[in-house]
Amino acid sequence: QVQLVESGGGLVQPGGSLRLSCVVSGSIFSIYAMGWYRQAPGKQRELVATITSDTNTNYADSVKGRFTISRDHAKNTAYLQMNSLKPEDTAVYYCHANVWYSGSYNDYWGQGTQVTVSS
């Protein structure tokens, strides 16, 4: 079994900051990529940022320069530092991990954490 648990969401004013965390637990041999996706009401889930095991990163154009993804391999944890938040960043943020389990890499998702940017 592999589980992802996100934390760190909440309500913040425009221009503020939040830091999301995602911990992967269970029978883990290795984790290739981790990432953050988000889904706003009435919209499709979209990629926010990803980071591979050798720390190559990729960001959506809408968050470049404002968000930073990082990873602690020893703790099986990924972080998303979000600065200069805008109302359009409001969404449920989901953690994703590509984990080696039971003989293959498989995709796992967290339950999501709400981020609301509003004055």
Side-chain angles (χ1 to χ4, degrees):
Q1 290 281 14
V2 176
Q3 291 185 324
L4 278 64
V5 178
E6 302 110 330
S7 60
L11 173 65
V12 64
Q13 292 187 340
S17 298
L18 282 175
R19 188 193 195 207
L20 305 183
S21 300
C22 173
V23 180
V24 183
S25 63
S27 302
I28 302 164
F29 180 73
S30 71
I31 303 173
Y32 175 60
M34 296 187 71
W36 291 93
Y37 292 72
R38 66 187 181 187
Q39 187 166 18
K43 294 187 176 181
Q44 291 188 331
R45 189 174 297 189
E46 64 176 2
L47 179 147
V48 177
T50 60
I51 184 167
T52 64
S53 55
D54 53 358
T55 65
N56 287 320
T57 58
N58 180 48
Y59 294 92
D61 288 342
S62 59
V63 306
K64 283 181 181 177
R66 301 188 297 122
F67 292 11
T68 302
I69 189 169
S70 60
R71 187 167 162 179
D72 185 329
H73 294 273
K75 296 181 179 179
N76 291 329
T77 300
Y79 305 95
L80 185 68
Q81 178 66 45
M82 304 185 293
N83 299 327
S84 302
L85 282 160
K86 305 175 181 180
E88 51 263 43
D89 295 318
T90 296
V92 178
Y93 284 69
Y94 296 91
C95 179
H96 166 268
N98 190 240
V99 180
W100 181 270
Y101 176 74
S102 191
S104 64
Y105 276 104
N106 300 284
D107 293 320
Y108 296 90
W109 292 89
Q111 79 287 352
T113 184
Q114 178 70 47
V115 171
T116 302
V117 184
S118 175
S119 55

